[in-house]
Amino acid sequence: SSNEHKLNFKKSKEACLSYIQDALLQKQWERAAEFLTYYVESLEKDYSRENIGPSEMIWRIGTEILWHHSQSSLKEFNCFMEQMKTLGVKRYLKVCLEHVFHLLCNGQINEAYQNLTLAESWRFGEQTAIQDKEMKLIQAYRGLLDYYSWSKQKNILLEHSEDGFSDLAAEREMHGYFRKAAVNLKEIIKIPGVWDIFVKCYVDLLEFYGDHNEARQVLNEYAYNSKFPANPNAHVYLYQFLKRQGESKKSLLSALKILHDIVPSHELMIDFNTMLQKSKKRKKRRLGLEVIFAALDYAGWKENPKAWSCLARQVKQIVISEKHLDWIKQEWNSRKDWWPAFHFSRYLAKRNWQENKSLSYEKALVAGILLGKGCKYFKYVSHQGCKAQLKRFRMLKKFVNRHNPVYLRISG
Amino acid sequence: RDFNERCAQCSEVNWGLTDGGRFYCRSCHNVTERTREVVNTDFFTNSRVQTISKGLRKQEKNDGGSEWYVCEGFQLVLKKQVEALEALGVCPQMKDEILCNFWRCYLQKSKQAYCKRPAGEAVKALSVCESSTDVDSDPERPSLLHLLSLSESEGDLQTDCSFASSVSKVSESTSVYSGSVDGSLYLMKNQKEKLNMTMPMTLSFCYMALLWVREPMTLSELLRYVVEGHIPYLNVFQHFPEKMKLCGLDLKIFCVESWPVYEEVFNKMHELAAFLDLPRFPDITESCFLHPDMLCMKYLMEANLPDELHNWTCRVVKKIGIGEVDFLTLVPGNKSTRKVKYDVLAAAVIVVVLKLLFLLDDHYEWLLSELAAERNKNNIEGGPYFEFKKWYEVVKHSLDVEQKKLDEERAKYLWRCEKPLFYSAKKKSEVLKRRQMVVNLKNQFGKLSGSVQRAEKPNPSSFQLSWSEENTDGSCFHGHSLKGILQEKCGLLTAMNPDYWLCTVKLCNEKLCGHLAHYREVEFPQSYHFVLGLFSFLLRVQPSYIHDEVCMIEHKLFNKKLYKKLKYNTVLRK
């Protein structure tokens, strides 16, 4: 109809919003504030029919502007948040939570704590049940802040005990924080989700008070319960815990195996490979080779001397024993097309030699075995090394020359 | 004034009104106790006078308001609008003689006053039977929700249904549904005979009056002044006196949330003129501002085009007969003649002239421009030749700047006014709370807006773009010559351009599909789009609107050739 282009309230405000959006994206806070003053009257027409109504828009936009604007103070920010809390009862707890986040980012721990406590005591008919998830989060964050208080107390007490003082009141306070924190943290980690920080803190508390069983149970749940989203950190926490507890290699390795499956490039892969290499079981040693090759597939590891030294060590050991050369062949098969350009280019040879001689040494060894003594990387580095009269490079050259036939067997 | 009792003191019938609204005898200055609800009518007589003497009207309601009818509201709106027009320089007769009479005529024809049985009585009857507890039980009485869903606008206030639904079930007097007495009646759908008033229609009234006195103000100008705030429209109701309480369905009638469109106001005006049985309007002659020759002059200036083009527009106007008095003058009710949109027509004439001289096919006009540029480089005597390219660059730049400003203004409109609106008394506190929050937020973020001050309302100006010959940068093209593109043939100046392309070979049936042609569906040259866009901006109408007029003019101009061609085509087919 010909009325499509008619300018009405709705279209006018939509246009206004797009100007605000442009200003925000270009960090023009004053301009965004100006257009927001024209937009706010849509509050009077807020019947919450759309997915995101005017009141939510104003909350989010206003928060951004006040947070970034040079002339806005924290006091103004807080005042604004209080107004936003009254705007939409269905959003009340969400606004409280985000307000708390901003306060925490600004170092206002006490204020944040007060807000959390206040929010926790909020009740509003059936809304309380509907916003149950947000409430749990609020309680969890309060538990987190309690944990930090506990932690502070603990450090103070440790200092005092070194000096020979004992402070019963402070101790009781510390235990009080523990109880408060533990209750809330325990609740939130029951719900499937990503709760890294809550889990860490809770486990820390449990370990301090000696409840290792509970700690182990919590970590196992977090890592292995299929209802929880896949989370590499869960396995890292579990591994670290088991290590602290002095658990057997077997359980440590099983924890790391899953981590390798999820994140082959994880930094713990070095520990993993080291443990696997030392194992008496053939399967484990085989896995170790797989693990270290997989890690080095990732660009982040290219210049990591430790990783290369792990690989070099294992490759060297295999070559010397002349057993299991097929392992190397299998791993090399899928990599021989792209590793040479990825790791062993002449440019990298020069750069590695310049920057880190140990790195270049380890890499040259691997290159020499995998690509033969004729490969440019090995040739360059060994030549440079021998020129510099470094003993180990001479040894390296001899070693690779001696075992050159291995290369032929691998590459075939 | 229609109070016909004899004075108790001197037996004369010569009444006037005191400031307090009481009748006093002009002969002996006896003041009576009879008062009347004055709704600010130094304008003209209150149409509700009959009901006073019958004593039917209640004086005060418990909330401090009093009864008022919707047409009284509109009367006030019109008064405000015409006063604003007066302030803009329109002749005072428009208010006191023209518009006032039009309005009276309207009230009479629509049976709202000045007749034997005012519609108000019908409303009374309805409210008397309003004792049922459940509104929906009475099948004849439309439910509140049903009334709310009837809407001419896009249902801006349709969301207010959420308010209404909480109100409808309980038995209350009609005051809950609307502050006015006949608000609900107004929204009922039997509008065929009555032609109920709407806010856009107030502008139709204004335009009709302007046309009658042949004021130099086109409809597009009128609408632009409305949008710029020089003529009250959006929130006029805030000037209603305290006693006229607005709530419920009144909001739907008086609170509009969109700007009226040219087409809407134009069509309604014609409907209105026919409804009022008005006679032939005063003649639009060559000396009138609204005559195409005059308007073309104005638009040529505003579009920064050479004055010489005016000869051409006059020639086109003459050739197709659109300068004739009978063509231009409005005869209400005459369905056979096409209704004339003076401003759009003039703009379309200019577009056609540009097509005649420059072809505007994205090639020829640039070619001509290059030739002119060559000549201008080597030889400046006799004044510069008009270069399409330079003109395009200058005008496009200004147009872009103004368009950008306009777009920003559109995003910055404030639709709400100081006076808060409540749908019903129940919602009052909530509305006020929201209003307070809006004010707070405005203040808070206003301080953070930096030193940006909202520009003062610009002074009303007939010209949106202006070009000065004194500018030495050569950005004014009024004085440029068309010599480069003209040639003499048989003593007559014609265009060098031998070709012309028609916007459309066949005109559509306007009554069937609403348009003469379909602008959006065809790809036209960029130059044509540009020219249409320029006038679209100046007149604040859609380009397709002007395009339709262009098609109409072209078909009149090339009538004979087209007729021959069509005939030839049909012969071929057979």
Side-chain angles (χ1 to χ4, degrees):
Chain A
S1 85
S2 63
N3 286 341
E4 274 159 14
H5 57 271
K6 208 161 151 168
L7 185 67
N8 58 17
F9 183 89
K10 188 168 164 217
K11 286 198 194 135
S12 173
K13 292 310 170 200
E14 274 169 16
C16 191
L17 265 184
S18 73
Y19 277 101
I20 296 178
Q21 183 180 36
D22 281 345
L24 286 177
L25 287 171
Q26 293 173 51
K27 302 202 200 293
Q28 295 169 335
W29 310 113
E30 286 178 352
R31 189 169 154 88
E34 188 201 341
F35 275 93
L36 189 58
T37 61
Y38 301 122
Y39 181 75
V40 289
E41 61 171 12
S42 26
L43 270 184
E44 301 187 44
K45 285 222 73 163
D46 183 6
Y47 302 118
S48 304
R49 262 204 313 188
E50 305 97 44
N51 285 336
I52 300 184
S55 53
E56 184 162 356
M57 280 290 183
I58 291 172
W59 165 44
R60 295 219 180 266
I61 294 172
T63 307
E64 275 309 296
I65 295 177
L66 287 171
W67 192 245
H68 290 108
H69 198 291
S70 51
Q71 280 161 40
S72 147
S73 65
L74 192 64
K75 188 167 157 216
E76 265 192 56
F77 184 82
N78 288 336
C79 176
F80 174 74
M81 291 307 255
E82 293 306 320
Q83 277 187 305
M84 292 298 108
K85 285 175 192 170
T86 65
L87 254 193
V89 88
K90 287 188 191 153
R91 216 182 298 125
Y92 179 78
L93 287 180
K94 216 198 273 189
V95 177
C96 284
L97 204 52
E98 299 230 356
H99 186 196
V100 164
F101 291 158
H102 278 101
L103 288 170
L104 288 175
C105 287
N106 213 36
Q108 311 271 320
I109 313 284
N110 288 332
E111 280 233 21
Y113 194 83
Q114 277 168 29
N115 272 291
L116 284 170
T117 318
L118 205 66
E120 225 182 313
S121 63
W122 180 76
R123 299 282 176 273
F124 202 93
E126 59 176 23
Q127 280 298 319
T128 325
I130 295 173
Q131 297 184 42
D132 177 59
K133 288 206 183 100
E134 285 87 345
M135 185 58 92
K136 284 246 156 49
L137 274 175
I138 288 185
Q139 288 164 335
Y141 276 97
R142 194 169 74 78
L144 189 67
L145 292 184
D146 284 326
Y147 166 84
Y148 281 125
S149 303
W150 171 86
S151 187
K152 266 201 300 201
Q153 277 301 98
K154 182 188 78 169
N155 290 334
I156 292 173
L157 279 171
L158 282 175
E159 265 179 42
H160 284 184
S161 69
E162 276 170 29
D163 299 338
F165 296 131
S166 96
D167 189 341
L168 284 173
E171 238 186 86
R172 249 177 304 172
E173 211 182 320
M174 186 186 88
H175 295 319
Y177 284 130
F178 157 69
R179 272 191 292 273
K180 282 202 279 188
V183 147
N184 284 327
L185 292 174
K186 183 171 179 171
E187 275 307 302
I188 192 81
I189 61 183
K190 279 192 202 157
I191 308 172
V194 179
W195 309 123
D196 287 356
I197 190 161
F198 299 136
V199 166
K200 268 179 98 171
C201 297
Y202 188 46
V203 166
D204 190 28
L205 287 172
L206 290 170
E207 282 193 86
F208 182 83
Y209 286 94
D211 194 350
H212 304 291
N213 283 330
E214 175 74 7
R216 181 175 302 128
Q217 207 172 349
V218 162
L219 287 168
N220 273 316
E221 262 294 291
Y222 194 51
Y224 295 123
N225 186 339
S226 55
K227 288 204 193 112
F228 281 70
N231 183 356
N233 292 334
H235 300 275
V236 173
Y237 298 153
L238 180 60
Y239 167 75
Q240 287 167 342
F241 171 76
L242 294 172
K243 202 164 162 196
R244 282 197 297 273
Q245 296 292 305
E247 297 272 330
S248 69
K249 278 271 183 319
K250 186 171 171 196
S251 49
L252 289 176
L253 287 174
S254 76
L256 284 177
K257 171 78 171 60
I258 304 188
L259 189 58
H260 161 72
D261 289 337
I262 309 177
V263 188
S265 57
H266 200 277
E267 57 182 5
L268 283 176
M269 291 302 107
I270 293 194
D271 290 22
F272 193 32
N273 168 271
T274 311
M275 279 193 278
L276 287 169
Q277 269 193 50
K278 290 193 201 139
S279 169
K280 296 203 182 86
K281 297 209 180 125
R282 199 172 5 117
K283 261 196 188 161
K284 294 268 187 290
R285 293 200 304 274
R286 174 71 185 88
L287 178 63
L289 191 67
E290 186 186 317
V291 164
I292 194 66
F293 261 103
L296 284 166
D297 280 341
Y298 290 87
W301 290 88
K302 272 171 96 165
E303 321 251 299
N304 189 316
K306 258 199 244 144
W308 283 105
S309 100
C310 282
L311 179 57
R313 184 171 357 120
Q314 198 162 12
V315 161
K316 188 171 179 181
Q317 194 263 327
I318 290 174
V319 162
I320 289 174
S321 73
E322 292 191 10
K323 271 201 268 184
H324 307 301
L325 283 170
D326 55 310
W327 290 359
I328 300 184
K329 185 170 176 174
Q330 279 164 18
E331 289 301 325
W332 186 235
N333 227 4
S334 59
R335 292 175 170 94
K336 62 184 178 204
D337 292 328
W338 62 280
W339 264 44
F342 190 55
H343 286 303
F344 303 127
S345 66
R346 192 176 156 76
Y347 165 75
L348 278 173
K350 281 192 182 162
R351 214 179 78 187
N352 295 152
W353 173 255
Q354 267 177 353
E355 290 173 3
N356 189 338
K357 302 215 172 16
S358 300
L359 174 69
S360 64
Y361 171 81
E362 306 288 354
K363 279 180 79 173
L365 194 148
V366 175
I369 297 297
L370 294 174
L371 294 168
K373 63 181 180 187
C375 94
K376 11 182 194 197
Y377 193 94
F378 171 75
K379 268 169 80 175
Y380 180 85
V381 169
S382 60
H383 175 75
Q384 293 293 321
C386 292
K387 220 170 60 172
Q389 295 190 332
L390 293 169
K391 183 174 176 188
R392 58 178 172 160
F393 284 90
R394 258 187 291 133
M395 307 279 284
L396 170 66
K397 197 165 180 184
K398 278 195 200 150
F399 178 83
V400 170
N401 282 330
R402 203 182 330 138
H403 294 281
N404 202 42
V406 166
Y407 150 70
L408 295 167
R409 290 191 13 219
I410 295 173
S411 63
Chain B
R1 273 157 234 168
D2 289 26
F3 186 35
N4 286 329
E5 279 190 18
R6 290 191 173 276
C7 167
Q9 227 166 272
C10 67
S11 304
E12 288 280 323
V13 184
N14 188 5
W15 297 103
L17 268 179
T18 64
D19 287 338
R22 295 197 183 162
F23 288 106
Y24 76 96
C25 174
R26 281 210 192 93
S27 324
C28 64
H29 300 287
N30 170 33
V31 180
T32 69
E33 288 305 306
R34 294 298 287 274
T35 56
R36 48 186 266 188
E37 270 308 310
V38 178
V39 189
N40 200 2
T41 55
D42 28 301
F43 186 20
F44 46 69
T45 50
N46 190 338
S47 55
R48 292 271 134 240
V49 166
Q50 291 112 310
T51 54
I52 293 174
S53 44
K54 286 178 198 163
L56 278 176
R57 179 191 285 206
K58 289 184 272 182
Q59 289 294 336
E60 296 275 314
K61 291 206 277 203
N62 32 7
D63 60 351
S66 56
E67 287 191 356
W68 58 279
Y69 288 81
V70 167
C71 61
E72 288 176 54
F74 278 116
Q75 192 169 293
L76 264 179
V77 170
L78 279 172
K79 178 167 181 269
K80 284 276 161 206
Q81 287 174 339
V82 85
E83 279 173 359
L85 282 169
E86 237 181 277
L88 285 175
V90 163
C91 70
Q93 283 86 22
M94 208 181 99
K95 169 182 165 187
D96 296 324
E97 293 170 20
I98 313 298
L99 195 58
C100 144
N101 282 323
F102 281 161
W103 179 244
R104 240 182 272 189
C105 182
Y106 167 77
L107 288 175
Q108 199 164 26
K109 294 260 178 192
S110 62
K111 299 186 171 46
Q112 284 170 76
Y114 294 106
C115 53
K116 289 203 174 131
R117 248 186 268 151
E121 286 202 330
V123 175
K124 275 284 168 212
L126 277 172
S127 60
V128 159
C129 71
E130 186 25 86
S131 53
S132 57
T133 46
D134 190 348
V135 178
D136 298 314
S137 68
D138 184 342
E140 277 166 15
R141 187 151 183 27
S143 73
L144 189 59
L145 287 173
H146 174 64
L147 285 173
L148 284 170
S149 62
L150 298 174
S151 166
E152 285 149 7
S153 64
E154 281 160 6
D156 299 317
L157 292 171
Q158 208 150 22
T159 46
D160 291 354
C161 280
S162 61
F163 280 162
S165 56
S166 58
V167 162
S168 58
K169 293 295 174 188
V170 183
S171 103
E172 278 167 283
S173 70
T174 40
S175 61
V176 172
Y177 300 112
S178 66
S180 64
V181 175
D182 56 344
S184 51
L185 189 73
Y186 233 79
L187 289 176
M188 292 204 298
K189 238 197 171 160
N190 53 345
Q191 288 168 15
K192 275 292 175 182
E193 316 93 47
K194 277 199 189 166
L195 199 69
N196 278 350
M197 271 301 279
T198 60
M199 278 307 288
M201 214 158 116
T202 60
L203 296 177
S204 299
F205 263 97
C206 290
Y207 177 53
M208 199 164 69
L210 285 169
L211 187 56
W212 187 274
V213 296
R214 293 172 295 182
E215 275 290 327
M217 189 188 290
T218 61
L219 178 55
S220 55
E221 271 184 276
L222 172 68
L223 292 176
R224 181 162 60 85
Y225 291 145
V226 169
V227 169
E228 286 176 0
H230 303 298
I231 297 178
Y233 182 78
L234 258 196
N235 293 318
V236 202
F237 55 83
Q238 62 185 324
H239 299 296
F240 286 2
E242 266 303 300
K243 290 187 186 152
M244 281 172 76
K245 296 268 178 225
L246 233 76
C247 65
L249 290 168
D250 301 331
L251 301 189
K252 219 157 165 46
I253 301 170
F254 288 104
C255 305
V256 276
E257 287 188 344
S258 57
W259 295 115
V261 175
Y262 187 107
E263 209 171 327
E264 190 184 350
V265 178
F266 181 79
N267 290 337
K268 209 43 156 196
M269 188 275 270
H270 288 275
E271 218 181 305
L272 188 59
F275 178 75
L276 298 180
D277 268 331
L278 293 178
R280 179 183 164 113
F281 272 53
D283 285 346
I284 308 281
T285 58
E286 272 165 12
S287 55
C288 267
F289 178 78
L290 295 174
H291 191 275
D293 288 342
M294 296 285 263
L295 279 178
C296 279
M297 185 81 245
K298 173 179 192 266
Y299 293 143
L300 282 171
M301 274 178 70
E302 206 166 356
N304 201 10
L305 286 166
D307 297 338
E308 276 184 36
L309 282 172
H310 191 239
N311 300 331
W312 291 87
T313 63
C314 292
R315 277 170 76 171
V316 170
V317 166
K318 191 146 183 216
K319 179 117 198 232
I320 59 178
I322 59 173
E324 301 300 310
V325 173
D326 290 329
F327 175 83
L328 291 171
T329 309
L330 173 61
V331 179
N334 184 344
K335 293 205 175 144
S336 56
T337 53
R338 190 153 191 275
K339 305 190 182 72
V340 181
K341 308 174 186 105
Y342 304 99
D343 33 23
V344 183
L345 184 66
V349 167
I350 298 178
V351 174
V352 169
V353 164
L354 288 175
K355 278 176 79 179
L356 281 169
L357 297 177
F358 296 97
L359 189 55
L360 294 188
D361 67 340
D362 284 345
H363 292 294
Y364 194 69
E365 65 272 22
W366 306 111
L367 184 65
L368 285 178
S369 183
E370 268 176 44
L371 293 173
E374 272 301 307
R375 181 267 173 191
N376 281 338
K377 230 191 324 176
N378 303 327
N379 175 11
I380 356 165
E381 59 171 69
Y385 280 10
F386 177 72
E387 289 175 52
F388 188 86
K389 178 161 182 238
K390 268 205 185 148
W391 172 81
Y392 173 83
E393 284 168 356
V394 168
V395 171
K396 179 160 173 42
H397 173 77
S398 294
L399 187 60
D400 286 345
V401 167
E402 294 300 315
Q403 184 70 56
K404 186 165 173 224
K405 267 196 236 164
L406 183 64
D407 290 338
E408 273 201 32
E409 277 306 305
R410 285 190 169 147
K412 290 183 184 176
Y413 281 142
L414 288 174
W415 299 78
R416 298 288 177 192
C417 67
E418 298 290 317
K419 184 168 176 173
L421 304 165
F422 336 106
Y423 211 76
S424 68
K426 273 190 205 169
K427 294 285 174 177
K428 185 168 176 171
S429 61
E430 192 177 314
V431 169
L432 286 176
K433 219 173 60 159
R434 278 277 159 116
R435 172 59 61 99
Q436 188 56 47
M437 176 160 306
V438 168
V439 168
N440 289 342
L441 288 172
K442 263 202 212 168
N443 285 336
Q444 183 169 25
F445 288 99
K447 280 192 228 136
L448 295 175
S449 301
S451 52
V452 176
Q453 289 294 330
R454 185 75 191 273
E456 284 299 313
K457 219 164 47 171
N459 282 334
S461 153
S462 187
F463 283 83
Q464 296 173 76
L465 300 172
S466 61
W467 318 91
S468 172
E469 298 249 3
E470 279 124 38
N471 282 352
T472 47
D473 57 1
S475 63
C476 178
F477 293 84
H478 295 153
H480 287 214
S481 163
L482 294 176
K483 275 213 198 105
I485 61 169
L486 299 174
Q487 60 192 357
E488 236 188 87
K489 255 189 188 172
C490 319
L492 207 65
L493 269 180
T494 55
M496 273 171 59
N497 168 31
D499 297 324
Y500 193 90
W501 55 271
L502 286 173
C503 285
T504 172
V505 175
K506 190 159 182 238
L507 291 178
C508 273
N509 187 338
E510 211 166 10
K511 292 202 178 84
L512 286 180
C513 74
H515 293 285
L516 279 179
H518 298 272
Y519 175 60
R520 266 182 262 277
E521 289 152 32
V522 185
E523 273 202 35
F524 290 110
Q526 290 300 315
S527 301
Y528 181 68
H529 284 307
F530 174 73
V531 167
L532 276 190
L534 171 60
F535 287 107
S536 164
F537 170 80
L538 290 175
L539 299 180
R540 305 293 163 89
V541 295
Q542 289 292 294
S544 55
Y545 215 50
I546 306 175
H547 177 75
D548 277 2
E549 290 294 296
V550 170
C551 293
M552 186 270 287
I553 294 173
E554 284 178 347
H555 273 251
K556 282 199 191 211
L557 199 54
F558 298 105
N559 194 10
K560 291 197 197 112
K561 285 199 180 148
L562 268 176
Y563 182 66
K564 258 197 263 174
K565 184 174 183 182
L566 284 171
K567 210 171 155 201
Y568 182 60
N569 279 345
T570 51
V571 167
L572 271 181
R573 256 183 249 131
K574 281 179 192 160

